[in-house]
Amino acid sequence: MDSDRGAALAALLTATFRATRSATLALGDLKASAPRHILATLDADGPMRVRDVAAALRIAPPSVAHAAEALEHQGYVERYASPDCGGCTMLRITPDGSAANRDWYARIVEALGGGLAEASDEDWDAVARTARLLASLDHESMRASAPPHRGHRGPRAV
C-alpha cells in the first residue's frame, strides 16, 4: 500500500475511534468498553470460545471470562461447555444481549448524527461506500496471513 493510502486509512481509523469515544462520553456512559466489545463480537460472529473472544479483542482470557460472568448475570450472554472442544467454555449472545447491542449502536449513531448534521448527501454516500468497502474485507484471510508475534504465545486457553 502506498503511503498516501496508508495515511488515509490510518486517519479513518483514528477518526472512527475518536468519534466513538466522544459519542460514548456525550451519552454519559462511563462503563468499561470490554463488555460492549464482547457483545458486539458475539452478535456479529456467533458463539465463540472464551479464548477466541479474548484473542479477537486482544483482552486477557481471565478478563473476558470475568466480563462474560457479569454479562451472563444481566441475561446478555450464556456460557456453556462445548462438547466439540473437550468442554471448553463457549459464549453465545442471548436475544436480550443482541437487543442491548443494537440499542447501544442506535444511541451511538444518534449521538454522532447531531455532529454530522451539516454533512451533504455526497458525504453520506462516501460514508456508505466506505462502510461497504470495510465490510467486504476477508477477515479470515487477513488473520491467516498475519505474521506470528515474536515473544508472545498468545492468550491462554480457558
Side-chain angles (χ1 to χ4, degrees):
M1 175 179 303
D2 69 45
S3 61
D4 289 342
R5 288 181 177 178
L9 189 54
L12 171 67
L13 296 173
T14 300
T16 301
F17 174 76
R18 290 185 71 208
T20 305
R21 185 181 63 210
S22 293
T24 301
L25 293 172
L27 292 171
D29 188 334
L30 301 177
K31 295 177 187 168
S33 60
R36 295 207 189 279
H37 292 302
I38 292 168
L39 283 180
T41 299
L42 294 173
D43 209 16
D45 297 338
M48 297 173 73
R49 295 182 296 184
V50 169
R51 70 178 183 172
D52 292 336
V53 173
L57 297 177
R58 299 175 331 273
I59 300 172
S63 296
V64 171
H66 179 73
E69 183 177 349
L71 290 167
E72 185 177 35
H73 286 295
Q74 292 175 291
Y76 292 163
V77 301
E78 296 173 335
R79 292 185 298 168
Y80 63 98
S82 172
D84 297 333
C85 69
C88 63
T89 301
M90 299 286 293
L91 300 174
R92 74 175 143 235
I93 195 165
T94 65
D96 285 348
S98 189
N101 188 52
R102 283 190 312 273
D103 178 64
W104 170 247
Y105 278 109
R107 292 174 57 217
I108 289 292
V109 165
E110 187 175 325
L112 289 172
L116 297 171
E118 300 300 318
S120 68
D121 289 343
E122 187 176 90
D123 292 334
W124 285 110
D125 289 343
V127 169
R129 282 193 315 277
T130 302
R132 284 192 303 272
L133 179 64
L134 291 175
S136 74
L137 290 173
D138 182 352
H139 300 281
E140 293 302 320
S141 174
M142 289 172 60
R143 279 188 281 253
S145 67
H149 297 281
R150 301 194 188 276
H152 177 61
R153 296 179 307 171
R156 293 180 298 160
V158 173

